[in-house]
Amino acid sequence: MRISGMFMPTQREIPADAEIISHQLMLRAGLIRKVASGIYSFLPMGYRAFRKVENIVREEMDRAGAQELSMPAILPAEVYMASGRWDKFGPEMFRLSDRGGRSFCLGPTHEEPFTEAVRDHVHSYRQLPVTLYQIQHKYRDEKRPRFGVMRAREFVMKDAYSFDATEEGLDRSYQTMYEAYCRIFDRCGLDYILVHADSGAMGGSGSQEFMVKSEVGEDAIAYCTACSYAANEEKAPCPAPEVGAPEPMLEKEKVHTPDFRTIEELMDFLKLPPTDFAKTLMYDIDGKIVAVMVRGDRDVNETKLKNLFDATELNLAGPADVERVTGAKVGFAGAIGLKEEIPVIADHEISAMSNFVVGANETDQHLKNVNRTRDFAPTRIADIRSAVEGDPCPECGSPLAMCRGIEVGHIFKLGTKYSEALGCNFLDSAGAEQPMIMGCYGIGIGRTLAAVIEQNYDDNGIIWPISVAPYSVIIVPTNSSDETINTMASDLHDKLTEAGVEVLLDDRDERPGVKFKDADLIGIPIRITVGRKAGEGKVEFKLRSESAATEMTPEEAAAKALELIRQG
Ligand SMILES: [Zn+2]
């Protein structure tokens, strides 16, 4: 391909609204173009890279025995009403109606239509298992679309769904997908970690996320520094601390504590560390007020709390509720002397504390030398705090470290949630009707591509791995008016093209510096420069990932390029 005829609108400036590297580079390298907030076009260079990822995904899905099909993006409301998600998706779902007033949506995810299709055509255990997938557009009206194609409102996903007759069957289907996912992300050259995820709104149990470590990631991950354990911060369990020999209990006393705005100020005044404070937060959990206690330096983990109550709505209680149940202004809540009988949930760590400070449920008052075993009985003691750096790994006890990550893939064991809701049943070997046991498996194609850039770039631009690069080789003739140079560059281009290599020839009448800058920006893995030494039969061979170039004959350069491409 000759660059002179290409639609490749590169930009010198960093676009103002692009916050993260992949978004900046995709715009600068002319890979994508913004059409509206969270809605992008892929331009030729970007679309080639996009299709590379798509094809890797497709090859590995096919290899894993999944069958590709294509569902419509526009779906009737009834499909989502049966599962309850027509309401549950809320404003995130793009909705529209046809000329007859019938309601439709643009599919945000396709569990329902896949389940319906299998329900209507698969009836016996003999036809199971079956795994279906599609690579298709999804629509979610994100509140804050950002980071380019990373969090967009229209995006392409590979979504797969497995249907099994037994739990063991689901385990096998899940494992097969897990292995396919590892191969996909390995082939894309991504450095990823696998985390146990909270399954959240998707429902079901057993789910893992493939996360790419990145400072710009939206998810906090706790990972073990010694073993392979990693979990979403929301879900990382905090083991109960070991309770040592109890300290002698001191006499409980009330202290006057006006005008302290933070726990640190209060504890400073009491000459105690914040770890000797048990903070009590009032939550409104599905309309009921609940007191939640964690150590002064900890954060309540709302996901854990939500799961503990199997709640749908969870918010911090408003001041009126706090004042009613504590009889005090906000800031003096505690577990002792509450004005209403409400559940008190204490974190494990509270059990290991002695002679600590709590709010007195009286304005401007705290209680000192409180001891759980003597002074109050929580309704429940549970793991409700967030993990922090240094906490012991739940698997091996080594310290946990924290990082941020971008979720590129997600595998779930859905169980029978959708098959029961939509009546997707089969007859087992005894002739009894059973709901199918489902799994679902997603990969964001555009997001994976952006993640590859997040992990592979330098100051000059993208550094594509060969597997995902829009072109593998770029040939740069340094002087377009030199016949020897031009002929050699053009011959090399034709020869490589004939050998099946995706090759670019920068035949523009530009200075070498401009061409090198663009080659670096668009990140082509192999650069062959045809310059001054063309007359001596020599070219320069350079990898985008390395700074040094090597002199060799055009034949050697072609052979070396072919070898590298074969290795992937
Ligand atoms: Zn560990």
Side-chain angles (χ1 to χ4, degrees):
M1 184 76 199
R2 286 171 157 76
I3 287 188
S4 59
M6 277 183 72
F7 182 55
M8 191 183 83
T10 55
Q11 288 172 247
R12 291 273 170 267
E13 301 303 313
I14 296 175
D17 64 339
E19 298 165 67
I20 63 168
I21 279 293
S22 58
H23 188 194
Q24 292 169 1
L25 286 173
M26 288 176 95
L27 289 167
R28 281 185 54 208
L31 307 187
I32 57 169
R33 195 179 118 79
K34 183 171 163 178
V35 175
S37 170
I39 300 175
Y40 289 86
S41 303
F42 273 91
L43 301 183
M45 191 71 75
Y47 196 51
R48 286 182 76 97
F50 180 93
R51 278 192 323 206
K52 290 287 172 69
V53 175
E54 191 180 292
N55 283 336
I56 290 172
V57 170
R58 180 173 284 118
E59 281 171 21
E60 295 301 339
M61 281 294 117
D62 291 347
R63 176 152 42 147
Q67 300 163 69
E68 186 172 11
L69 53 72
S70 181
M71 293 268 175
I74 182 164
L75 290 153
E78 296 77 43
V79 174
Y80 289 91
M81 279 173 172
S83 69
R85 290 208 295 182
W86 179 258
D87 293 324
K88 200 153 193 172
F89 263 108
E92 226 173 70
M93 190 182 245
F94 275 104
R95 294 158 208 262
L96 61 164
S97 44
D98 69 6
R99 63 176 75 204
R102 286 173 25 116
S103 295
F104 289 83
C105 71
L106 298 177
T109 168
H110 278 70
E111 280 78 2
E112 287 87 346
F114 274 81
T115 308
E116 284 195 342
V118 171
R119 175 194 66 197
D120 293 348
H121 301 290
V122 174
H123 304 290
S124 160
Y125 73 97
R126 288 194 192 86
Q127 296 166 284
L128 296 173
V130 60
T131 299
L132 303 172
Y133 79 98
Q134 64 176 348
I135 299 176
Q136 204 242 23
H137 286 82
K138 298 271 181 278
Y139 299 85
R140 291 183 202 166
D141 195 0
E142 294 275 352
K143 206 184 214 168
R144 274 191 73 200
R146 57 190 187 140
F147 300 159
V149 300
M150 200 80 94
R151 183 168 286 281
R153 297 197 292 169
E154 180 190 77
F155 55 95
V156 173
M157 241 177 98
K158 184 285 299 171
D159 49 331
Y161 306 87
S162 65
F163 298 82
D164 274 277
T166 60
E167 290 288 344
E168 299 71 49
L170 170 61
D171 290 345
R172 278 192 297 274
S173 298
Y174 185 89
Q175 181 65 20
T176 303
M177 283 296 127
Y178 164 83
E179 286 161 14
Y181 273 43
C182 291
R183 285 195 298 270
I184 288 166
F185 297 121
D186 285 342
R187 286 180 62 185
C188 290
L190 283 169
D191 176 17
Y192 60 90
I193 48 176
L194 199 66
V195 310
H196 298 269
D198 185 85
S199 47
M202 301 295 283
S205 62
S207 102
Q208 287 167 293
E209 288 175 346
F210 288 77
M211 305 285 271
V212 170
K213 275 194 211 174
S214 164
E215 277 169 31
V216 302
E218 291 186 312
D219 298 278
I221 304 162
Y223 67 98
C224 180
T225 49
C227 73
S228 65
Y229 178 83
N232 211 307
E233 189 214 29
E234 288 178 349
K235 214 183 183 184
C238 304
E242 283 177 29
V243 182
E247 281 175 44
M249 291 188 215
L250 303 176
E251 197 174 326
K252 190 173 72 178
E253 63 176 287
K254 195 180 280 181
V255 282
H256 185 60
T257 53
D259 301 332
F260 297 114
R261 263 159 305 169
T262 66
I263 292 169
E264 287 71 27
E265 281 175 23
L266 167 72
M267 296 309 276
D268 219 30
F269 167 74
L270 297 171
K271 299 193 170 48
L272 290 167
T275 48
D276 276 350
F277 184 75
K279 67 178 165 195
T280 309
L281 297 163
M282 296 297 169
Y283 274 92
D284 180 336
I285 303 177
D286 287 335
K288 274 174 69 180
I289 306 299
V290 175
V292 178
M293 295 180 85
V294 291
R295 210 172 75 182
D297 57 331
R298 304 301 197 193
D299 290 321
V300 172
N301 182 315
E302 295 188 351
T303 303
K304 289 182 183 176
L305 194 57
K306 210 167 166 178
N307 290 342
L308 192 68
F309 280 84
D310 197 16
T312 45
E313 271 289 317
L314 179 143
N315 292 296
L316 274 171
D321 285 326
V322 175
E323 285 173 25
R324 195 184 72 246
V325 298
T326 65
K329 283 204 288 189
V330 174
F332 302 93
I336 304 164
L338 285 160
K339 302 297 172 284
E340 278 182 23
E341 211 156 292
I342 58 168
V344 177
I345 312 300
D347 183 66
H348 282 311
E349 277 183 331
I350 303 292
S351 292
M353 292 163 68
S354 46
N355 300 315
F356 54 92
V357 178
V358 298
N361 293 318
E362 276 180 53
T363 302
D364 295 344
Q365 304 287 344
H366 279 85
L367 292 170
K368 231 176 112 170
N369 300 330
V370 170
N371 288 277
R372 211 256 313 150
T373 49
R374 179 189 65 193
D375 301 319
F376 69 99
T379 320
R380 199 151 169 197
I381 298 172
D383 169 19
I384 46 163
R385 74 172 172 94
S386 294
V388 294
E389 187 136 3
D391 274 344
C393 165
E395 301 275 327
C396 76
S398 300
L400 291 179
M402 308 296 280
C403 70
R404 302 201 70 80
I406 299 164
E407 180 199 322
V408 286
H410 204 157
I411 54 179
F412 289 101
K413 289 182 183 173
L414 283 173
T416 55
K417 183 182 154 120
Y418 291 94
S419 45
E420 279 180 15
L422 302 173
C424 180
N425 300 323
F426 69 99
L427 293 177
D428 67 17
S429 56
E433 200 171 62
Q434 307 273 4
M436 292 186 204
I437 303 171
M438 291 173 59
C440 79
Y441 317 92
I443 291 180
I445 306 291
R447 181 182 283 200
T448 299
L449 185 68
V452 170
I453 298 174
E454 287 292 334
Q455 287 193 340
N456 298 281
Y457 70 93
D458 64 13
D459 289 345
N460 300 319
I462 302 166
I463 307 175
W464 291 114
I466 286 176
S467 60
V468 182
Y471 292 87
S472 308
V473 178
I474 184 164
I475 299 168
V476 182
T478 55
N479 182 350
S480 46
S481 55
D482 182 314
E483 204 45 47
T484 313
I485 288 177
N486 273 344
T487 307
M488 186 181 276
S490 183
D491 287 351
L492 191 52
H493 168 267
D494 296 349
K495 193 180 164 196
L496 282 170
T497 306
E498 219 160 276
V501 175
E502 294 166 299
V503 55
L504 282 173
L505 173 62
D506 195 347
D507 58 337
R508 295 174 299 171
D509 185 18
E510 291 280 2
R511 285 177 293 111
V514 171
K515 295 182 179 183
F516 291 149
K517 257 201 151 63
D518 279 341
D520 280 356
L521 177 60
I522 60 176
I524 306 305
I526 300 166
R527 190 180 85 194
I528 302 172
T529 306
V530 186
R532 290 181 288 115
K533 293 211 173 159
E536 299 163 37
K538 290 282 166 73
V539 297
E540 253 183 33
F541 186 97
K542 183 186 167 297
L543 297 180
R544 174 67 181 88
S545 55
E546 290 174 8
S547 52
T550 316
E551 240 176 49
M552 55 184 78
T553 65
E555 292 73 27
E556 287 166 340
K560 188 151 189 206
L562 277 167
E563 189 196 325
L564 288 169
I565 292 161
R566 244 176 246 128
Q567 291 165 1

